[in-house]
């Protein structure tokens, strides 16, 4: 096998959509986490207006602390996974830049504008 052999074509085909999907999912997760943390802070502030603390050992305070814990944990896990996918796809695209496969329809020939317009 040669050192400059073309990379596995299916990996390169998958990398661009994976990069786009990873970035979009990461942006959505960041937005979701911002909303969750804002709602969590709002609930804690609203609860503390009456002189109570969200860190109290009461069932109500514990319920407020755990209200968004599942969504927060899921958002963080999804953010990490989508970030890893986006970084891996970017690395694959970077390593395979300039190794684009030739268009098989033209037999490797180079066409210029005159050939394409029929002049």
């Amino acid at each position: 096998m040669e050192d400059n052999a073309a990379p596995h074509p299916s990996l390169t085909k998958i990398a661009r959509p994976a990069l786009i999907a990873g970035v979009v999912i990461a942006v959505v997760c960041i937005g979701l986490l911002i909303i969750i943390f804002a709602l969590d802070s709002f609930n804690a502030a609203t609860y503390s207006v009456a002189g109570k603390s969200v860190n109290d050992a009461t069932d109500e305070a514990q319920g407020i602390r755990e209200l968004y814990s599942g969504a927060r944990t899921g958002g963080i896990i999804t953010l990490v996974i989508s970030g890893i996918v986006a970084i891996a796809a970017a690395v694959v695209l970077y390593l395979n830049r300039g190794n684009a496969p030739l268009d098989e329809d033209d037999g490797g020939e180079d066409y210029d504008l005159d050939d394409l317009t029929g002049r």
Side-chain angles (χ1 to χ4, degrees), residues 63-80:
I64 290 173
R65 285 192 307 266
E66 296 176 356
L67 185 62
Y68 300 109
S69 64
R72 186 180 315 120
T73 304
I76 291 170
I77 291 170
T78 306
L79 177 63
V80 169

Side-chain angles (χ1 to χ4, degrees), residues 15-114:
R16 184 166 287 127
L19 176 64
I20 294 169
V23 169
V24 168
I25 292 171
V27 168
V28 169
C29 284
I30 289 170
L32 174 70
L33 289 170
I34 289 171
I35 292 170
I36 288 171
F37 285 122
L39 287 172
D40 203 20
S41 298
F42 176 75
N43 284 341
T46 304
Y47 184 71
S48 67
V49 168
K52 302 175 188 174
S53 174
V54 77
N55 294 324
D56 290 343
T58 63
D59 290 337
E60 187 178 10
Q62 183 180 4
I64 290 173
R65 285 192 307 266
E66 296 176 356
L67 185 62
Y68 300 109
S69 64
R72 186 180 315 120
T73 304
I76 291 170
I77 291 170
T78 306
L79 177 63
V80 169
I81 291 171
S82 64
I84 291 170
V85 167
I87 290 170
V91 167
V92 167
L93 288 173
Y94 180 76
L95 293 175
N96 294 325
R97 70 189 186 284
N99 293 335
L102 294 174
D103 188 7
E104 296 174 8
D105 294 338
D106 64 7
E109 291 186 37
D110 189 19
Y111 293 107
D112 59 5
L113 182 62
D114 293 334

